[in-house]
Amino acid sequence: MIESQSVISPANHKSMSNQVQEIATDCDKLPERFIRKEDEEYGNITNPSPAEIPVIDVSLLTSSSHLELGRLKSAITTWGCFQAINHGIEGSLLDKVREISKLFFSLSAEEKKKCLREEDDVEGYGNDMVLSDHQTLDWTDRVYLTVLPKHQQRLQFWPQNPNNFREVVDEYCSKIESINEIILKSLARSLNLEENCFLDQYGPTANMFARFNYYPPCPWADKVLGLKPHSDGSATTYLLQDKELEGLQILKDGQWFGVPIVPDALTINVGEQIEIMSNGIFKSPIHRALVNSKDQRISVAMFCNPQTEKDIGPVDALVTDDRPRQYKNVTFSLDFYFENYQQGLHGIATMSNMHKEILVNILMERPILLSRLVINLNHVQDTQSLIELAVLSFAERREKASRKQERIRSNRLVIDVVSGDSTKIMCGLCSASTSDTSVVAVLVCGHVYHADCLETRTPYEDRRDPLCPVCVDSHSAN
Ligand SMILES: O=C(O)CCC(=O)C(=O)O
Ligand SMILES: [Fe+2]
C-alpha cells in the first residue's frame, strides 16, 4: 500500500506558532507554505467575472405567491446560492457582528491568544491546522465556535473582548435559526415537497457553528488563497460578507465568478448535507476566498446542521425510477469533516468534477456507483498528496471496519489511488495485476478488484454496496 510518511498526525506536528496576521506584519518574503499550488489555481484569478447571483426576497418566500419560490429553486440549482434580502435581521445587528469581529482581530496577539485553539482541535482562535507537509496554508486567521446547541458552547474559546461578543453572537444566532427554518421549508416547497421534509431530518438539537474569518492584507495576494476551493459540509451556510471588500468567488461551469457585495444581504448557500437530502438536485457550490494586497477583509459564516451524529439521507419522495438514490445515508461528524478539510482535501475542488466526486465520496462515505469508477491513474499525479491523505484516512477507517469483520458486506467502495505501486496489486477476481491505467476499486475490507470484474460479478441492485467476493468465499468455506 501507499507510503505515507509525508502525512503527519497532529500530535507529531507543531502548529504554526504565528498566526497569519503576525506573519503578514512581519515578513519580507512569502513563506512557502502559503504559496498556492498549481492544481489549486483552476481559473483566472485577476479578472473573475462578476456573478449574477439571484437576489431573493426572503419575506416573499412565506407568502402564497410561488414566484419567489421558483426563483429560489432556480438560484440553488444554478448557483447553489443566493443573496438574501429582507431576511428580518436589522442592518444594525449585521454591523455589530462585523464590528465585534474586527475588534477582536485588532487586539494584541497576546489578548487574542487567550482564545487560542488547541493543537488538534478546530474550536477557538487560530489558523490552519497543520497535518501534512503537502498542505498549502490559507492566508487567514479565524475564530471557530460551536454556537448551538447552547450546552455545547465551549466558552473558554469565546472572546471576552470585546465584552459584548457573546451577547451579539447569541442574538445573531437566534435570528439565523429563524431564517434557516424559513429557508429549509422554502427549499422543500420549491420542490413540491412537504415543507418539513428537510427539517424532519434534523433531530431535536440542531447544530450551528460560527466562523469569523479574518484575511490580513497580503503583499503577494495573487500567490496565496484566503480560503482554498471547498464546498461546505453544512446543510446550509449563512455568510455575512465584508461591507466594503469583495473576495468570495464561486465556481460555476469551470469558471470562477466574483460574488458582489449586496448591502445588508446574507449570501446563503446549500452545503453537502442538503445536497444529500435533495438526492443531488441541489448541489453544494464550490467556492473560495481571495485576499487583498492592501486591505484586510472579514467575513462571518454560520454553518447550520442537523444534530451531530444524526443519520441523514435523500428524502424518500426524491428517490424515483428516473432519479435513483444517489447517496447513501451518512452521519455528519464535524471532526471527520474538519480532519479532511484541514488536510487540504478541499483542494479536490481543483480536480475534474469526476475525480472530486470520487474523493468526496470516499471522505463523506457516500456510495459510488461502479459505473462512475473511471479513473486514469496517470491523471492524478499532481494531486498525489491529496490522494495519499484520502487513502490514509480510508486506511484508518478500514482498520476500524475490519474489527467488525463478521459484516461481510462492504459499506463503501473507493478508488485505488496507489498510482506509484499499482502494478503490485492483484485483482481479487481475475488475479491479473492492476496497471497504471486500470480502473480499480478497493472495498472497505481491503480487497482490490478491477472495477469491470467486480461490476460483472455484482448484481445490479448491490452495486452501490457490493459484497466482497473474496470475503464471501472465505466465509462460506468456513
Ligand atoms: O470569506 C468568505 O467569503 C468565504 C468564507 C467561507 O467560505 C467559509 O467560511 O466557509
Ligand atoms: Fe465556505
Side-chain angles (χ1 to χ4, degrees), residues 20-93:
V20 177
Q21 196 175 0
E22 294 167 47
I23 296 167
T25 49
D26 187 25
C27 94
D28 47 18
K29 186 169 178 287
L30 177 62
E32 202 148 321
R33 302 298 306 271
F34 291 95
I35 300 177
R36 53 202 264 193
K37 300 201 175 81
E38 227 170 78
D39 63 354
E40 287 157 358
E41 290 288 333
Y42 203 87
N44 181 341
I45 189 158
T46 46
N47 270 322
S49 321
E52 286 176 17
I53 293 181
V55 176
I56 301 286
D57 185 331
V58 176
S59 70
L60 295 180
L61 290 174
T62 46
S63 76
S64 53
S65 155
H66 278 216
L67 198 68
E68 207 65 2
L69 279 183
R71 297 186 66 241
L72 174 71
K73 180 179 169 188
S74 157
I76 298 289
T77 47
T78 313
W79 290 96
C81 70
F82 60 96
Q83 305 272 25
I85 57 164
N86 290 333
H87 39 59
I89 305 186
E90 297 286 333
S92 55
L93 179 56

Side-chain angles (χ1 to χ4, degrees), residues 211 213 227-228 230-233 237 239 248 269 285 287-288 301 303 337 341:
R211 184 155 71 194
N213 298 307
L227 212 48
K228 284 188 281 301
H230 65 283
S231 58
D232 294 341
T237 303
L239 186 75
L248 174 64
N269 67 270
H287 52 286
R288 67 181 185 183
F303 302 103
Y337 174 66
Y341 182 91

Side-chain angles (χ1 to χ4, degrees), residues 210-265:
R211 184 155 71 194
F212 297 81
N213 298 307
Y214 176 81
Y215 306 97
C218 177
W220 311 274
D222 56 348
K223 298 220 163 17
V224 304
L225 280 169
L227 212 48
K228 284 188 281 301
H230 65 283
S231 58
D232 294 341
S234 57
T236 44
T237 303
Y238 297 77
L239 186 75
L240 179 62
Q241 291 217 58
D242 192 286
K243 210 161 180 170
E244 276 111 40
L245 202 60
E246 290 179 7
L248 174 64
Q249 294 190 335
I250 297 242
L251 188 66
K252 179 172 170 290
D253 303 329
Q255 231 200 313
W256 288 109
F257 291 85
V259 177
I261 294 166
V262 175
D264 289 344

Side-chain angles (χ1 to χ4, degrees), residues 97-317:
V97 175
R98 291 189 188 98
E99 190 181 283
I100 54 168
S101 184
K102 282 192 173 155
L103 282 171
F104 174 77
F105 285 105
S106 69
L107 298 172
S108 68
E110 195 188 342
E111 183 66 23
K112 284 189 294 250
K113 281 180 183 168
K114 289 181 181 163
C115 310
L116 198 61
R117 68 167 173 77
E118 279 153 20
E119 205 162 301
D120 55 356
D121 194 3
V122 291
E123 188 135 9
Y125 162 65
N127 52 1
D128 276 348
M129 199 187 277
V130 181
L131 296 170
S132 154
D133 284 341
H134 295 287
Q135 186 183 336
T136 312
L137 300 180
D138 290 333
W139 191 265
T140 185
D141 291 335
R142 52 183 80 101
V143 177
Y144 184 84
L145 302 170
T146 303
V147 287
L148 283 183
K150 280 208 163 151
H151 68 267
Q152 283 176 13
Q153 290 182 351
R154 295 161 73 194
L155 295 175
Q156 68 271 34
F157 297 113
W158 286 55
Q160 305 273 339
N161 189 352
N163 60 13
N164 60 345
F165 187 95
R166 188 166 164 207
E167 183 194 326
V168 173
V169 173
D170 278 343
E171 185 183 354
Y172 186 55
C173 158
S174 74
K175 301 269 182 190
I176 294 285
E177 220 184 344
S178 310
I179 302 173
N180 189 41
E181 191 174 325
I182 297 173
I183 298 302
L184 288 171
K185 287 183 174 173
S186 304
L187 287 172
R189 286 170 58 224
S190 80
L191 296 175
N192 296 322
L193 299 170
E194 200 285 307
E195 68 173 7
N196 285 318
C197 72
F198 294 136
L199 273 168
D200 283 347
Q201 300 208 24
Y202 267 59
T205 48
N207 275 100
M208 198 188 297
F209 305 96
R211 184 155 71 194
F212 297 81
N213 298 307
Y214 176 81
Y215 306 97
C218 177
W220 311 274
D222 56 348
K223 298 220 163 17
V224 304
L225 280 169
L227 212 48
K228 284 188 281 301
H230 65 283
S231 58
D232 294 341
S234 57
T236 44
T237 303
Y238 297 77
L239 186 75
L240 179 62
Q241 291 217 58
D242 192 286
K243 210 161 180 170
E244 276 111 40
L245 202 60
E246 290 179 7
L248 174 64
Q249 294 190 335
I250 297 242
L251 188 66
K252 179 172 170 290
D253 303 329
Q255 231 200 313
W256 288 109
F257 291 85
V259 177
I261 294 166
V262 175
D264 289 344
L266 289 168
T267 307
I268 303 182
N269 67 270
V270 295
E272 294 180 345
Q273 299 190 65
I274 286 292
E275 180 173 331
I276 294 170
M277 290 186 208
S278 71
N279 202 21
I281 293 175
F282 295 141
K283 288 269 191 282
S284 169
I286 292 168
H287 52 286
R288 67 181 185 183
L290 304 186
V291 299
N292 191 274
S293 58
K294 299 204 169 56
D295 293 310
Q296 62 180 20
R297 174 174 179 268
I298 54 135
S299 70
V300 181
M302 304 295 278
F303 302 103
C304 297
N305 302 301
Q307 185 173 351
T308 314
E309 311 305 342
K310 179 95 175 45
D311 217 32
I312 60 153
V315 166
D316 286 345

Side-chain angles (χ1 to χ4, degrees), residues 455-468:
E455 187 162 28
T456 314
R457 172 78 178 252
T458 306
Y460 184 79
E461 61 278 14
D462 283 342
R463 285 190 186 162
R464 263 189 225 109
D465 189 12
L467 292 167
C468 170

